[in-house]
Amino acid sequence: MTQTKRTWKLVAVLVAALALAGALLTGCSGNNNSSSANYRTLDQIKDSGKITIGVFSDKSPFGYVDENGTYQGYDIELANRLGQDLGVDVELVSTEAANRVEYLQTGKVDVILANFTVTPERAEAVDFAEPYMNVALGVVSHKDKVVTDLDQIGDRTVIVISGTTAETYLTEHNKDLKLEKYDTYAAAKTAFENNPDAVWANDNTEVIAFANQAGPEYVVGIEQLGDTDTIAPAVSKGNESLLNWINEDLKSLGAENFFHADYEKTLLDTYGAAYEDTLVVEPGQN
């Protein structure tokens, strides 16, 4: 056989091998319609026997780790109930506010339950289920320098947590304010406590909880800033099977007044009975 013939034969073998590899790859992707997406479908979650849910670990009373190392809080009760109703184990994954969208987009978690306020911008990146709580922004300040209007802040520092609706709102509507951004709730809380001139803008549920727990040294001078929004579970964009199941389960939970019971178990000591009907949303009951 001449050198030329051997060369052409080798080329033919390589072409055939590449074609076979391409066919195999195509076949693999065709067998799993979510292979190009970083999420697990409802059936895949069931088959695995476990659902992963992103929650806060330092935001009492919504999601926190107690002295025994156990997750507790309003969102934790919902996370555990979703796993129970689905018939799978629940793996809780600690997240920060700025990581919530990323954790869904990268498939690190199946669901986010971490005081996730529904906004149009976030709805472009994730899919929200039915809401289970109302929320607005609030502002807390030290008792000697109470802020009841943003115009009173002047050049004082406004502490916010990165990735929250407070950061977005103040950046868009009050560009002259001096924002000091932190990645975690704990870091923001510490910075606020250590700076008597500072104010802290966050979800009103969180600043009210902070003030109630911290005592009379702190006053929530603005209980509602901007519009009232809602908090809802979120799944990866396009994960329709999981989203549809969660929505149906939420409606069933609403029918049994699950969220009022959850409030009374986890939030009543913090907010009292006066806030219950204002904050709680029972899906499917409106």
Side-chain angles (χ1 to χ4, degrees):
M1 182 181 296
T2 66
Q3 182 65 35
T4 301
K5 289 183 177 179
R6 282 197 295 269
T7 300
W8 280 108
K9 185 175 182 179
L10 179 58
V11 170
V13 170
L14 289 173
V15 171
L18 289 172
L20 177 60
L24 289 173
L25 288 172
T26 301
C28 289
S29 64
N31 290 332
N32 184 353
N33 57 17
S34 68
S35 62
S36 61
N38 289 318
Y39 62 73
R40 300 191 302 161
T41 65
L42 180 65
D43 287 341
Q44 289 171 329
I45 292 170
K46 287 181 177 178
D47 290 342
S48 75
K50 179 178 70 176
I51 187 168
T52 56
I53 301 179
V55 297
F56 287 136
S57 59
D58 63 351
K59 290 190 178 180
S60 175
F62 296 95
Y64 65 99
V65 177
D66 67 14
E67 63 275 8
N68 298 316
T70 302
Y71 277 94
Q72 303 285 358
Y74 187 76
D75 287 338
I76 309 304
E77 292 292 316
L78 175 56
N80 289 331
R81 180 58 185 270
L82 290 178
Q84 175 185 322
D85 291 348
L86 189 55
V88 298
D89 294 333
V90 175
E91 179 183 348
L92 299 175
V93 178
S94 177
T95 184
E96 303 295 345
N99 296 334
R100 291 175 293 192
V101 170
E102 175 193 344
Y103 276 23
L104 286 174
Q105 291 179 331
T106 59
K108 187 167 185 176
V109 298
D110 300 309
V111 184
I112 285 288
L113 291 178
N115 277 111
F116 210 10
T117 304
V118 179
T119 69
E121 295 79 12
R122 289 171 177 168
E124 293 179 1
V126 303
D127 283 337
F128 285 102
E130 293 289 322
Y132 60 91
M133 195 170 195
N134 292 316
V135 67
L137 297 180
V139 177
V140 60
S141 45
H142 296 258
K143 68 174 185 178
D144 295 330
K145 297 183 179 181
V146 176
V147 168
T148 58
D149 188 285
L150 292 182
D151 291 338
Q152 299 170 346
I153 294 176
D155 60 357
R156 293 165 64 183
T157 297
V158 181
I159 292 172
V160 296
I161 301 172
S162 299
T164 61
T165 49
E167 178 194 16
T168 301
Y169 180 89
L170 294 177
T171 299
E172 292 179 354
H173 298 280
N174 300 84
K175 298 180 181 180
D176 294 334
L177 293 177
K178 185 173 67 176
L179 301 186
E180 191 170 285
K181 303 177 184 181
Y182 293 89
D183 290 333
T184 68
Y185 180 90
K189 173 177 174 290
T190 299
F192 174 62
E193 290 173 333
N194 291 336
N195 185 353
D197 287 330
V199 300
W200 186 7
N202 205 350
D203 287 354
N204 62 353
T205 51
E206 294 180 6
V207 296
I208 292 169
F210 166 80
N212 286 348
Q213 292 170 349
E217 290 297 314
Y218 304 96
V219 176
V220 180
I222 303 177
E223 287 194 0
Q224 180 168 336
L225 179 65
D227 297 329
T228 298
D229 295 311
T230 56
I231 289 173
V235 303
S236 298
K237 198 72 176 175
N239 195 353
E240 293 185 6
S241 60
L242 181 57
L243 179 67
N244 291 339
W245 181 86
I246 291 175
N247 278 332
E248 289 304 312
D249 197 52
L250 288 173
K251 291 176 184 177
S252 296
L253 295 177
E256 67 178 62
N257 284 327
F258 169 87
F259 292 97
H260 277 82
D262 191 1
Y263 180 99
E264 291 166 12
K265 179 179 180 180
T266 63
L267 303 185
L268 187 63
D269 287 346
T270 299
Y271 299 106
Y275 281 104
E276 183 169 352
D277 289 333
T278 300
L279 296 177
V280 172
V281 174
E282 296 288 359
Q285 301 307 299
N286 295 332

